[in-house]
Structure formats: structure tokens, C-alpha cells
Amino acid sequence: MILFLTFVAATLGITYWASRQTKTAADYYAGGRSFSGVQNGLAIGGDYMSAASFLGIAGIIALSGYDGFLYSIGFLVAWLVALLLVAELMRNSGKFTMADVLAFRMSPRPVRTAAGVSTIVVSIFYLLAQMVGAGALVGLLLGITGEAAKAWTIVGVGALMIVYVVFGGMKGTTWVQIVKAVLLMGGAALVTVLVLGKFGFNLSALLGQAASVSGPEANPQSFLSPGLKYGTEAQGLAGKIDLISLGLALVLGTAGLPHILIRFYTVPTAKDARKSVLWGIGIIGVFYLLTLVLGFGAAALVGREAIAAGDAAGNTAAPMLAQAIGQEIFGDVGGTLLLALIGSVAFATILAVVAGLTLASSSSFAHDLYAHVFKRGQASERQEVVVARISALVIGAVAIGLGILAQGQNVAFLVALAFAVAASGNLPAILYSLFWKRFNTAGAVAAIYGGLVSALLLVIFSPVVSGGPTALFKTADFAWFPLSNPGIVSIPLGFLCGWIGTVLSKEYNAAKYAEIEVRSLTGVGAEKASEH
């Protein structure tokens, strides 16, 4: 509790300091564009290494072995798409949000409406995962087992998150993420070294024990081979397709995530945007290598059954591993301290990520929907910031409600759904806008809504929502879509809808495309990008 409260007090102190520095819309949305490439790289790492990365991936590896590690690979490779296709061009083309890029060469109101809706939906999906992780984590640390008590935990985390965003804005959120990235890397590295030390720094010995302790009795070595979670005999072809669908969503989703996209606007130049992504990739790359040891370490030292008993979805595997290795090396007090340390770091992780997500969605509502759609560009900066703060409150409340409903789901899996929705709706519109001359308003609206609606519908009618032991509605069964991950259908649909919408419309502005092409490649005139 002392460690917990210290973390919370420190982050609230940062938020209070930032609130004194936040005076303009640029301060609130983009931190005054005052962060260096290295600082922003750390913040990107802090934003991206969420509860899903730390808790969910370690848990899914501990329960599913090889198949769980595919999440680590997917989350990491995704950054190459963001770096090569999106980071620098977005920084050069926009001002505060993804919609600034789309609205520049198209009719602003319909495009901003679509982009605003998509941003809010993706952010709520991602927020849901963090809330579920918070409930599982605090439940483990405080010995809370009841659903009602976990629900109150989620309410508490949501309330803290709202305070960060409403008062600290981007400046406060970024500093919280930088601090949290350093702590998370330190905590994960410490546990990794202790686990590897236990096995004489022999990864093969670690994997062998993980397979013998947590693998299926009939064939323990299958724990280290594909097929425990995806592509099992019971799933047949659908399981294999589900795996490809998951991979597509993970690799393409990052470049469409709104809370990652707005990070590119917090640096002064495109060079810094590129540098920050390189730093982000370095930090994230090391971290995902550590999750391999954390996941298989939990399987080897805690055991699959104990992890599943603590949390059916495996979300508490990393803290349980910290306690087990701490007890083994330092005794009971050491185990408790290490558990408290890792738990507090994970809690800081959740707070930082939910703050970034809420900021992205509230910024989009205020800047895109309120200022440019409802007020037709006539809103003052002060009005925008007030509306952003109110919408942060509302979005936080929605995330709390959905987080309570979704308890029992693995958080890495929930984030994969957010990636699928982002890759289906946002990514086609962004790529077409940056690289296709003919692209127009009808195409942008069709791409965003087509991808978004198809992804949402397929999730609603999938085993995630009904018809399974881990579904949201366990007693009902309306799952006619066999895949848990909709990306393999909804991502191509998003691109197809964008193409159809474009070719059916006669609108075309060659001069605007030429201007955004020059701007995206050189950065000339970027500050005026969203004023047209």
C-alpha cells in the first residue's frame, strides 16, 4: 500500500506541476511541442508498453506457450509500419489529431466526424483492457477476490485517470509516461535477471522446465510448439485463420492507434518524430524480449494451474512470478517486496496508458467534433480545452462501465481487438490520404465507417461476446462469426470501402494533393495544416 500510494502521489505531483504549465490548446493537446526526440521516444514506449504488454502477454505466454509469444512479435513488428509509413508524414501534415491530415484535402466536416467517432471507439476498446488489468492486479495485491470489490478498483483507477487528463493535459501525461517507462523497464529487467540467474542464464533450461511444469500432460513439449491456443484440432481451419487474422491486426494496428498518432505532434520537427519512433522501437524491442522470459518464467516457477487459479485469463502471471522468484532468493519479505514493486510499476503502467488514451479521445472530440463540426471552426482555444476536459470525464465513465463488464478477459487479447478496429477504420484512410492522388471525401468516410462498423459487428457476433466460457455474455449464444479476431475480414473491407467510395465520387483536388505531398515529405507549412 505504501509503494502504491507513493507512485500515485508522485504522478499526481507531476500532474499538478503540468497543470500550472498548460495555458494554450497547443500545451493541452501537444505539450507545447516542447519534447525532444529521446523524451518522446520514452513516452511512446511508456504509452505502448501497456497493461496488455506487461500483464497480458506474460499471462498468455504462461498459459499458451509458443502461441502467446506471437503477441510479443506482432506488437514489436508493428512499429516498423508506423516508422516507415506514418510517423514523419503525420508529423509534417497535421497539427493535433489524425483528422487534421484527412481534413486538409477533403470536405472537413464529414471527415472530422468519421475520424472523431473512430478515435473514440478505438480508445474505449483499448481503455477497456487497461481497466480489466487494473482490477486483476489490485485484486491480487490486496487479496480481493469478489467481483464487486474488483469493480470498485476499476472505478478508482478510472477516477485517477480522469484527474490526470483533466488537469495535466499532454504535458502531464507525457511526463507520467516517461517516468513509468523507466520504472517498467527497470522492474521487468530486474525480474528477468533474477529468473535467468535461477537457471544459470541458460534459456534452454528455462524453456524446458516451463514445458515440463505447464505443458499438457500427454505431450509437455507441445508447450513450445504452435497450436496450443490457435490451430488446435478442435478449432480446425478456423483456428489457423484466426492466428493470421490476429497477426494482421497486430502488425497493421499500431499505425492507426490514435493515442500513438498524437504523440508525433508533441515534438518540434519531423526529424524529432522519426528519432522518437527509433528510440521507441529500441525500448519496446528490449521490453518484448523480456516478456519472453517473464512469461516462460511464470510457467516454470509458478505453474499454469496456479496462474489460472489466480486469474483465469492469466493477467496476474508477472506479479506472481515476481513474488515466487523473490521468495526463492530473498525469503518471504523479499518476495512480498518484489511483488509490491512489480505490482506498483504495473499500476503506474495502467495509469499512464489510460491517461494517454483518454487524452487522445477527448482531444479528438473537442478538436474535431466540437470545434470543427459543431462550431464550424468558430470555437476559441479556451472553449476547446474546456470541452476536451468535459469529454475526458464522460469517456472515462464509459470505460469504467465497460471495464467492469469485461472482467475475466485476457487484456492482451482485448488490446488485439482495439488494434483490429484501428487497422480496419483508421489505417486505410491515413494511407490513402497520404499516398493516393485520387482519394476524396467520400472515400475517406467510407473507409473509416466501413472498416469500423465491419470490425465492430464481427466482434459482436464472435465468440468474444457470446457462446464461450470467457465471453462477455456467457449464457447467450449468437456467435455466427467463428473467429475471435476480425482483422482478416474487416481490414480488407476498410480498404475496399475506401476505394469504392473514391471511384464513385467525382470530387478530386489535384492542387490540394500536391500541397499535402510536399508538406508530408518536407514539413513546409505544417503549422497551418489544420487551419484550412
Side-chain angles (χ1 to χ4, degrees):
M1 284 300 290
I2 291 166
L3 267 171
F4 248 35
L5 293 173
T6 304
F7 273 83
V8 171
T11 50
L12 284 174
I14 292 169
T15 305
Y16 174 74
W17 166 81
S19 69
R20 305 294 298 271
Q21 320 288 319
T22 301
K23 295 178 174 63
T24 66
D27 287 335
Y28 187 83
Y29 293 138
R33 305 190 203 286
S34 58
F35 292 99
S36 70
V38 177
Q39 287 172 331
N40 199 44
L42 277 167
I44 284 176
D47 223 349
Y48 196 70
M49 297 183 302
S50 64
S53 305
F54 190 45
L55 303 176
I57 292 178
I60 215 161
I61 291 173
L63 297 181
S64 307
Y66 178 94
D67 282 8
F69 188 54
L70 294 172
Y71 279 84
S72 288
I73 300 298
F75 282 141
L76 178 57
V77 171
W79 272 103
L80 298 177
V81 179
L83 173 66
L84 296 173
L85 297 180
V86 173
E88 186 178 353
L89 304 179
M90 288 287 284
R91 169 62 189 84
N92 283 343
S93 309
K95 194 174 181 185
F96 294 138
T97 65
M98 172 185 85
D100 288 338
V101 178
L102 303 178
F104 178 75
R105 47 181 293 219
M106 297 162 200
S107 179
R109 294 188 77 208
V111 169
R112 283 190 183 278
T113 303
V117 168
S118 178
T119 296
I120 291 165
V121 170
V122 172
S123 297
I124 286 174
F125 259 96
Y126 213 116
L127 276 168
L128 204 118
Q130 313 309 316
M131 297 300 193
V132 171
L137 179 70
V138 180
L140 170 75
L141 290 172
L142 304 183
I144 296 167
T145 52
E147 295 292 313
K150 284 186 182 177
W152 279 110
T153 301
I154 289 171
V155 172
V157 171
L160 264 175
M161 155 194 87
I162 290 165
V163 169
Y164 290 155
V165 176
V166 169
F167 296 105
M170 178 57 89
K171 205 164 265 189
T173 299
T174 300
W175 278 111
V176 167
Q177 283 161 345
I178 290 169
V179 169
K180 165 246 148 150
V182 172
L183 291 171
L184 183 58
M185 288 296 290
L190 172 62
V191 176
T192 298
V193 168
L194 292 176
V195 170
L196 287 175
K198 155 90 177 152
F199 291 93
F201 293 91
N202 184 337
L203 193 60
S204 181
L206 166 63
L207 295 176
Q209 182 160 330
S212 62
V213 172
S214 296
E217 279 185 31
N219 180 15
Q221 289 307 307
S222 66
F223 192 71
L224 305 177
S225 307
L228 270 189
K229 184 171 176 64
Y230 298 103
T232 60
E233 283 183 31
Q235 292 169 331
L237 181 62
K240 292 179 172 66
I241 296 172
D242 210 3
L243 178 58
I244 296 167
S245 189
L246 168 70
L248 267 176
L250 294 181
V251 170
L252 298 177
T254 297
L257 287 175
H259 71 296
I260 297 296
L261 294 176
I262 65 167
R263 292 237 61 90
F264 301 140
Y265 300 126
T266 63
V267 289
T269 66
K271 183 183 175 185
D272 285 314
R274 200 166 57 245
K275 188 177 180 182
S276 62
V277 177
L278 286 170
W279 269 89
I281 287 177
I283 293 162
I284 291 161
V286 172
F287 178 76
Y288 282 124
L289 287 174
L290 301 183
T291 60
L292 173 68
V293 178
L294 295 176
F296 284 111
L301 299 176
V302 182
R304 191 175 188 280
E305 287 181 15
I307 292 165
D311 183 89
N315 294 324
T316 54
M320 289 172 87
L321 169 65
Q323 186 174 23
I325 192 72
Q327 274 179 337
E328 199 157 313
I329 297 172
F330 307 114
D332 285 346
V333 174
T336 306
L337 277 173
L338 201 54
L339 169 66
L341 176 69
I342 296 303
S344 299
V345 167
F347 193 65
T349 296
I350 290 165
L351 291 176
V353 174
V354 293
L357 286 160
T358 310
L359 184 67
S361 45
S362 62
S363 297
S364 185
F365 181 85
H367 184 64
D368 298 326
L369 297 178
Y370 174 77
H372 287 89
V373 177
F374 305 151
K375 288 285 188 177
R376 297 174 184 269
Q378 300 303 308
S380 68
E381 282 199 349
R382 179 176 164 73
Q383 286 175 314
E384 262 194 59
V385 173
V386 169
V387 170
R389 287 174 165 154
I390 294 168
S391 56
L393 197 67
V394 175
I395 289 160
V398 171
I400 289 168
L402 289 172
I404 291 168
L405 269 178
Q407 288 183 77
Q409 293 279 349
N410 179 278
V411 290
F413 171 72
L414 286 171
V415 164
L417 291 183
F419 273 60
V421 177
S424 306
N426 294 349
L427 189 65
I430 291 168
L431 292 184
Y432 277 151
S433 183
L434 290 171
F435 298 108
W436 188 18
K437 281 184 188 177
R438 180 78 176 75
F439 196 50
N440 54 32
T441 305
V445 172
I448 292 173
Y449 286 134
L452 185 68
V453 171
S454 61
L456 286 177
L457 282 176
L458 293 175
V459 168
I460 289 167
F461 293 107
S462 76
V464 177
V465 173
S466 70
T470 58
L472 288 182
F473 302 105
K474 295 174 179 61
T475 51
D477 187 359
F478 43 86
W480 54 260
F481 182 66
L483 308 182
S484 298
N485 299 283
I488 199 163
V489 177
S490 58
I491 296 170
L493 263 177
F495 279 98
L496 180 64
C497 288
W499 179 78
I500 291 171
T502 301
V503 296
L504 291 180
S505 169
K506 292 186 170 61
E507 179 199 351
Y508 174 53
N509 190 330
K512 283 282 191 187
Y513 175 75
E515 192 176 340
I516 200 166
E517 187 176 34
V518 170
R519 175 171 290 149
S520 66
L521 294 173
T522 65
V524 174
E527 282 302 302
K528 296 190 183 315
S530 66
E531 293 170 12
H532 292 262

